[in-house]
Amino acid sequence: MYSPSSRGACSVAHNDGTIYRTRDLESAFRLQTALTTLGKDDDETAGPPGIVDTHCIKLDEPEPIRDSKFMCAMVYGRYVAVIGARAGFGDTGAEDG
């Protein structure tokens, strides 16, 4: 299990998404990697078009609190933003089987 502080996060904000402020860019990419490590039956998936430094996964089991089936972690400088969705990023909203 990862700990954001062990990956260099020094501040965290949370609402419908989560934003981590890390000590530097290198720490931001380490945290992104830890947050998007694939589980046994998870799959990598395409992220939103035009957003660089994004890593997205399709979860085999929906995230239990928000029922998200997809998750992306984006790096911007020393910040990492994590968002979830029930449909894939770029999907029309149709349920993904």
Side-chain angles (χ1 to χ4, degrees):
M1 196 69 178
Y2 69 90
S3 162
S5 62
S6 72
R7 301 290 190 248
C10 52
S11 295
V12 178
H14 184 78
N15 196 352
D16 283 338
T18 303
I19 298 176
Y20 299 88
R21 184 180 72 190
T22 63
R23 69 178 141 248
D24 55 30
L25 182 63
E26 182 181 338
S27 296
F29 279 108
R30 277 198 316 269
L31 179 59
Q32 178 194 43
T33 298
L35 293 169
T36 57
T37 299
L38 296 176
K40 180 181 174 208
D41 294 318
D42 296 342
D43 291 308
E44 289 190 49
T45 188
I51 300 179
V52 297
D53 296 329
T54 301
H55 188 227
C56 299
I57 59 176
K58 178 181 178 190
L59 303 169
D60 179 52
E61 294 291 325
E63 187 272 331
I65 296 172
R66 290 182 181 78
D67 196 33
S68 299
K69 186 86 172 157
F70 296 84
M71 194 262 293
C72 283
M74 295 144 281
V75 172
Y76 183 80
R78 65 187 241 181
Y79 296 89
V80 179
V82 179
I83 59 168
R86 290 188 183 117
F89 301 98
D91 285 354
T92 60
E95 198 59 36
D96 190 313

